[in-house]
Amino acid sequence: DAGVIQSPRHEVTEMGQEVTLRCKPISGHNSLFWYRQTMMRGLELLIYFNNNVPIDDSGMPEDRFSAKMPNASFSTLKIQPSEPRDSAVYFCASSDRDRDHEQYFGPGTRLTVT
Amino acid sequence: AQKVTQAQTEISVVEKEDVTLDCVYETRDTTYYLFWYKQPPSGELVFLIRRNSFDEQNEISGRYSWNFQKSTSSFNFTITASQVVDSAVYFCALSEVIYNQGGKLIFGQGTELSVKP
């Protein structure tokens, strides 16, 4: 089975532009997580979904960030407008919470906002 | 509040040495999971192990072993006979367990292991 798929792998954009990151979880997994990794803050959870429903979005930095999961096989994380401090690696992970709670991570999207 | 502490920021060893990476956690939950992930220079996060709070048995997988001690809230990771390919950042993580819901991971700051030939 393919692992978690994220696109794009790299994104360079100018401040003020809208950025959309995409994630396809592992087929059959019912939980999806968005994490952000920076040098200053390390790895931190932004939001997670169970059965496509947002459960905990307390890690979303501010209203500029939004996430959706319209179906079990697709999720987006949108930043509008983007700022240089949003530069980071964004990881998507999925798990089967009914089975083993092991979270499998995608390759990440490296975002650079200039 | 939940917290994971990896006090060792960087460790450097010579190939074939044994090395232990420390992890100490804080939680008020009685049921939780502990994890180790590896992040090689390529950047992906690779799952290594999951341990639930009711299972304190140590685990060995090849050159890797894990020592879970609830009495000291520690979940340490040992690599025996280290190899250059073990060079990576290793993260310890804690997950709450909520019935019928996935649990978010609380990560430590990571330990960067450098294995020199």
Side-chain angles (χ1 to χ4, degrees):
Chain A
D1 186 16
V4 176
I5 299 172
Q6 290 186 248
S7 65
R9 293 293 307 277
H10 302 272
E11 177 79 31
V12 180
T13 190
E14 293 184 347
M15 182 174 64
Q17 296 298 305
E18 177 180 296
V19 175
T20 299
L21 310 182
R22 297 173 176 79
C23 175
K24 176 179 170 55
I26 293 173
S27 177
H29 281 189
N30 45 27
S31 294
L32 183 139
F33 306 79
W34 283 100
Y35 292 88
R36 180 172 67 175
Q37 185 176 29
T38 62
M39 288 296 293
M40 291 296 294
R41 300 175 65 89
L43 274 159
E44 54 182 349
L45 179 78
L46 299 177
I47 185 171
Y48 80 92
F49 298 83
N50 282 338
N51 291 333
N52 314 338
V53 176
I55 301 299
D56 183 349
D57 65 354
S58 59
M60 295 287 263
E62 49 198 271
D63 292 346
R64 297 185 298 106
F65 285 69
S66 63
K68 294 182 179 179
M69 192 165 186
N71 57 61
S73 59
F74 184 65
S75 177
T76 60
L77 177 68
K78 185 175 295 186
I79 308 173
Q80 166 62 18
S82 58
E83 296 182 3
R85 59 188 167 133
D86 301 330
S87 297
V89 179
Y90 291 81
F91 288 100
C92 177
S94 70
S95 73
D96 180 348
R97 70 175 189 277
D98 298 322
R99 181 164 172 261
D100 54 21
H101 290 262
E102 292 167 10
Q103 293 186 24
Y104 294 91
F105 284 75
T109 295
R110 182 174 294 277
L111 173 65
T112 303
V113 183
T114 61
Chain B
Q2 296 181 319
K3 185 179 179 181
V4 176
T5 302
Q6 295 179 254
Q8 304 150 310
T9 305
E10 297 178 10
I11 300 177
S12 182
V13 299
V14 177
E15 208 170 17
K16 298 184 182 178
E17 285 186 18
D18 298 346
V19 58
T20 295
L21 309 181
D22 298 332
C23 173
V24 175
Y25 63 92
E26 298 175 27
T27 181
R28 293 179 181 173
D29 296 334
T30 56
T31 303
Y32 51 89
Y33 288 108
L34 294 165
F35 300 79
W36 277 94
Y37 284 86
K38 174 182 180 180
Q39 187 173 42
S42 52
E44 71 270 28
L45 282 160
V46 180
F47 166 82
L48 294 179
I49 189 172
R50 173 185 65 98
R51 173 68 71 213
N52 74 51
S53 53
F54 296 111
D55 183 1
E56 286 195 70
Q57 283 195 351
N58 292 333
E59 182 156 342
I60 298 175
S61 176
R63 296 184 296 107
Y64 295 171
S65 61
W66 291 269
N67 184 336
F68 174 32
Q69 292 193 346
K70 287 182 74 171
S71 61
T72 56
S73 297
S74 65
F75 186 43
N76 296 337
F77 174 31
T78 297
I79 301 175
T80 302
S82 59
Q83 300 176 1
V84 173
V85 293
D86 296 327
S87 297
V89 180
Y90 290 86
F91 291 95
C92 180
L94 169 70
S95 172
E96 58 188 357
V97 177
I98 302 174
Y99 176 73
N100 208 32
Q101 293 181 7
K104 64 183 180 183
L105 292 175
I106 308 296
F107 284 91
Q109 285 301 101
T111 296
E112 184 172 3
L113 173 65
S114 177
V115 181
K116 302 188 185 306

